[in-house]
Amino acid sequence: MNPSTTRRLLGYALVYKYRIVAALLILCCAVGAELGGPYITKTIIDKHLSIDERDIGAVLRLLGLYMGLLLTASVCNFTQSYLLQATALRIIKNMRIDLMRHIGRIPLKYFDNTPIGQVVSRIANDTEAVRDLFMSFMATFVVSLVQLAGIYTALFILDARLALYALLLPPLFVVIMYVHLKYSKVFITIMRARLSDMNAMINESIVVMPIIQAFRREKVTIEEFEVLNEDRYVNQVKQFRVFSLSSRNIVGTIGSLVTAYVVWYFGRESLQTAISFGVFYAFIDYMGRIFQPIIGIFDQLTNAQRAFVSAEKVFAIMDIEGKEVEDTAGVNRPEGVVKFDNVTFAYKEGENVLKGISFEARRGETVALVGHTGSGKSSIMNLLLGFYEPQQGVITIDGRDISSFSKQALRKHMGIVLQDPFLFAGDIKFNVSLYNKDISIDRVKDALREVGAASFIEQLPGGYDEQVVERGSTLSSGQRQLISFARALAFDPSILILDEATASIDSETEGLIQQALKVVSEGRTTLVIAHRLSTIREADQILVLHRGEIVERGNHRELMALQGRYFKMYQLQTGEQASAAGDVPAGTDIAANAAAASKSM
């Protein structure tokens, strides 16, 4: 077991040290009450039920004491169990909250390389396994140790010489436990890893189920899942095999042998001296009780190992360097002047996706980024939002380096609309305001009205209170996009980022959005990643990217007159409509340029 993991788990437990100590003291009382029973029985047999003396009154008093001890033990066991389990639930609640808080601090690149299902498995399954450590193993382990201490104390009182022989049992069981843990951990680690892989695959399969069914991949998906499931099953069988050989089986065998030895020992002694039947009964009773806590520990060893393996995975996420989520109450609204100064960036070292990017977007201006897939458009937006850090160059807002802002302060006055809009489970008004107290229902309605979404929302049965399932699958892509536009506008950003936001909507909806954007872009810095070049004709500046570099810049008419890469892209999308719209200088051969463009793209 990793000492660091043990220390950190202990740190969570020490928050409730007084509750745990109280539970353990109550546990000691319960164990003491339980262990007093055999000694009382021995006293009744030897002193009050002999042929020479039958003191029924004393027997009844001792039986009353025995019943009182049983009742005390029952109450104490309930109390300590309730305290320990309630404490364990609090510990896991704190651990889950810490994990969720830290996930919000982790850089975005971690999630680029980690399946969502694995992260979910850490928060749900692994923390639940750690809960078993505190609820089951800790209680069992402590109970067992207290019971063993009490049993050995009673054994020494009854017969010191035989009790010394019994002291050989704990070291023997420790060796057996060590072997059990050594071989079992390998299988448990694989089992937990396969569970995470299975969760990741299930999550991915559910998200893309329409694609799986459309391309008839159901059988292949099941086969891939079965490989993971079979591997987990095989390792689980191996782990159970180790458990079966080293737990109840071997403990039961040793227990039977020890009991036989005790009977032989007292039988031999009875040939030489008179042996008290009460002592014999008590010793057999206590020896039998030695193996109960040992079996209890063995039964919980698997849970303990699973908990430690899970805790290591949880703490591995917590050890990922992150940045604190800071309060943004005092952050002033920026003017919104965005400047990239010779910025170079690579997701992987030596593979630059942006090379010497420089441009400036002033307040009230719309800057559009165009280029083929992989040219670096989205990377520019990711850098501006602070999801990644550039290797070279400086990005500033109002002349201040964005690296000097906290991530929350940087993004407070930014609004973003993605190509694939995401709606949360909840009603429509929540999906616009995201429970921001500064956004009233009137502001939500205004934002929806500005983007042209109010008309279809008011026709829904619940109106603005209509429930939306996760990802908004009951709404059309255009309706989801309009709601995501309203979400960005409701936050009244200084900088508005549109990442191919009109690529998945129809022409009529696009017209509504274009009309709304003319209003909402007033006074804001708007950066647009454009797929449809017709949507950025009115942009103040268009940056054409190719292989991570800006190869052309200017407004629509300037770039069309240049007849470069943008001109060819526009022709491929619009054909002869470009000439009809007056975008192409007279005398240009549309067909020839289109053919040349198709060769160069």
Side-chain angles (χ1 to χ4, degrees):
M1 296 179 185
N2 191 328
S4 175
T5 301
T6 305
R7 185 171 59 253
R8 293 171 77 168
L9 287 171
L10 185 61
Y12 275 98
L14 288 177
V15 174
Y16 301 102
K17 55 183 177 292
Y18 296 116
R19 291 174 62 92
I20 293 175
V21 168
L24 297 182
L25 289 175
I26 295 172
L27 174 61
C28 291
C29 294
V31 171
E34 289 176 347
L35 294 179
Y39 197 85
I40 291 174
T41 304
K42 172 257 180 190
T43 304
I44 292 174
I45 292 173
D46 287 346
K47 291 188 177 181
H48 303 293
L49 292 181
S50 63
I51 296 175
D52 298 331
E53 181 182 355
R54 294 180 180 271
D55 189 348
I56 301 301
V59 170
L60 291 176
R61 286 193 297 273
L62 288 172
L63 287 176
L65 176 61
Y66 194 177
M67 295 297 293
L69 289 176
L70 291 177
L71 180 61
T72 301
S74 177
V75 173
C76 289
N77 277 324
F78 169 80
T79 305
Q80 65 85 14
S81 177
Y82 177 83
L83 277 175
L84 281 179
Q85 295 200 29
T87 303
L89 291 175
R90 293 189 182 192
I91 290 170
I92 299 308
K93 180 190 71 171
N94 293 344
M95 182 178 288
R96 281 196 180 121
I97 289 179
D98 287 347
L99 183 57
M100 278 298 296
R101 282 201 188 104
H102 190 71
I103 285 175
R105 304 184 187 112
I106 295 175
L108 194 64
K109 61 183 178 183
Y110 170 79
F111 302 100
D112 291 341
N113 302 314
T114 306
I116 295 173
Q118 286 190 9
V119 180
V120 173
S121 183
R122 299 290 173 268
I123 299 172
N125 298 338
D126 288 329
T127 54
E128 196 68 15
V130 176
R131 178 184 67 86
D132 291 338
L133 173 69
F134 289 106
M135 289 186 66
S136 302
F137 180 75
M138 186 174 73
T140 301
F141 190 77
V142 174
V143 167
S144 299
L145 289 180
V146 173
Q147 284 180 334
L148 287 173
I151 289 170
Y152 274 102
T153 299
L155 289 178
F156 272 99
I157 292 173
L158 292 171
D159 191 307
R161 187 170 60 174
L162 190 56
L164 286 173
Y165 287 115
L167 281 178
L168 297 174
L169 291 174
L172 175 62
F173 288 128
V174 168
V175 172
I176 296 171
M177 287 180 189
Y178 174 79
V179 174
H180 171 94
L181 291 172
K182 179 180 178 180
Y183 288 98
S184 186
K185 184 178 181 180
V186 177
F187 305 129
I188 290 177
T189 301
I190 296 174
M191 286 161 52
R192 300 305 295 180
R194 292 299 166 268
L195 180 62
S196 295
D197 294 339
M198 289 163 64
N199 285 337
M201 186 175 180
I202 291 170
N203 181 81
E204 182 183 68
S205 299
I206 292 173
V207 171
V208 299
M209 187 58 69
I211 304 297
I212 291 174
Q213 294 183 356
F215 286 89
R216 304 176 307 284
R217 294 278 299 174
E218 297 94 336
K219 185 177 179 180
V220 175
T221 302
I222 291 172
E223 289 173 353
E224 291 174 354
F225 182 82
E226 182 58 26
V227 171
L228 298 175
N229 197 25
E230 178 69 17
D231 191 28
R232 188 174 193 274
Y233 164 77
V234 169
N235 282 278
Q236 196 163 25
V237 169
K238 291 178 180 178
Q239 192 275 325
F240 279 142
R241 192 176 298 148
V242 172
F243 175 77
S244 298
L245 290 173
S246 60
S247 58
R248 290 178 176 269
N249 187 17
I250 196 166
V251 173
T253 301
I254 293 174
S256 299
L257 293 174
V258 170
T259 302
Y261 174 76
V262 171
V263 172
W264 173 82
Y265 175 84
F266 276 101
R268 187 193 63 180
E269 289 292 312
S270 66
L271 296 176
Q272 302 172 7
T273 60
I275 296 296
S276 165
F277 181 72
V279 171
F280 175 68
Y281 165 81
F283 210 98
I284 290 291
D285 190 305
Y286 282 126
M287 287 299 299
R289 294 188 184 213
I290 283 180
F291 303 103
Q292 294 176 8
I294 298 296
I295 290 174
I297 291 176
F298 267 112
D299 286 346
Q300 292 299 329
L301 276 180
T302 300
N303 288 339
Q305 276 194 304
R306 187 184 300 120
F308 273 99
V309 170
S310 297
E312 287 174 0
K313 294 181 180 296
V314 170
F315 292 139
I317 293 182
M318 290 187 179
D319 288 337
I320 297 172
E321 186 177 356
K323 295 191 176 180
E324 290 295 324
V325 177
E326 298 183 11
D327 184 21
T328 60
V331 176
N332 296 323
R333 179 185 176 88
E335 185 177 335
V337 179
V338 175
K339 185 176 181 180
F340 277 60
D341 186 7
N342 197 31
V343 171
T344 297
F345 170 67
Y347 292 100
K348 294 182 180 179
E349 182 121 9
E351 300 178 13
N352 292 338
V353 295
L354 295 177
K355 307 165 189 174
I357 298 295
S358 297
F359 70 88
E360 184 173 6
R362 297 186 176 277
R363 178 183 177 184
E365 288 185 349
T366 297
V367 175
L369 306 176
V370 301
H372 59 77
T373 301
S375 60
K377 304 184 298 296
S378 295
S379 297
I380 289 176
M381 298 305 190
N382 287 336
L383 290 176
L384 179 59
L385 286 162
F387 292 145
Y388 301 92
E389 304 291 337
Q391 276 73 34
Q392 297 177 18
V394 178
I395 305 171
T396 61
I397 294 178
D398 295 349
R400 180 180 171 185
D401 190 340
I402 64 170
S403 63
S404 65
F405 290 90
S406 70
K407 300 304 181 185
Q408 291 68 45
L410 174 64
R411 299 166 191 153
K412 180 177 182 180
H413 295 288
M414 288 186 184
I416 183 169
V417 180
L418 301 173
Q419 179 180 358
D420 182 20
F422 187 93
L423 298 186
F424 299 91
D427 56 36
I428 288 178
K429 65 177 185 294
F430 154 70
N431 268 285
V432 175
S433 68
L434 299 181
Y435 291 139
N436 189 318
K437 297 178 181 178
D438 296 329
I439 300 177
S440 64
I441 183 62
D442 291 334
R443 189 166 164 186
V444 168
K445 292 180 179 179
D446 288 342
L448 289 166
R449 190 177 301 110
E450 286 186 65
V451 300
S455 56
F456 85 81
I457 290 174
E458 290 171 356
Q459 293 176 7
L460 295 173
Y464 296 97
D465 295 319
E466 180 76 10
Q467 292 295 311
V468 178
V469 298
E470 186 180 355
R471 302 189 68 86
S473 57
T474 56
L475 300 174
S476 70
S477 59
Q479 290 172 334
R480 294 198 301 270
Q481 194 63 284
L482 287 172
I483 293 173
S484 67
F485 262 97
R487 177 194 298 161
L489 300 179
F491 280 79
D492 190 25
S494 297
I495 301 170
L496 183 62
I497 298 172
L498 308 178
D499 188 351
E500 294 190 317
T502 61
S504 60
I505 58 179
D506 54 63
S507 299
E508 182 180 351
T509 305
E510 179 187 330
L512 289 173
I513 291 177
Q514 290 298 324
Q515 185 177 359
L517 284 178
K518 289 181 181 179
V519 177
V520 300
S521 296
E522 186 69 30
R524 292 188 177 89
T525 305
T526 306
L527 290 95
V528 183
I529 292 178
H531 177 73
R532 297 180 183 177
L533 301 185
S534 60
T535 63
I536 58 167
R537 288 163 54 99
E538 303 300 322
D540 298 286
Q541 186 179 183
I542 299 172
L543 306 177
V544 183
L545 287 105
H546 180 62
R547 294 181 180 177
E549 297 180 285
I550 298 176
V551 294
E552 295 175 15
R553 67 177 76 208
N555 59 33
H556 175 73
R557 295 194 66 83
E558 290 170 349
L559 292 176
M560 291 299 291
L562 188 63
Q563 296 191 33
R565 181 170 291 274
Y566 178 85
F567 174 81
K568 295 172 185 178
M569 292 168 61
Y570 193 84
Q571 279 189 315
L572 285 175
Q573 287 193 12
T574 62
E576 293 187 358
Q577 294 177 3
S579 178
D583 292 315
V584 184
T588 301
D589 187 338
I590 298 292
N593 278 310
S598 65
K599 291 181 180 179
S600 64
M601 294 300 285

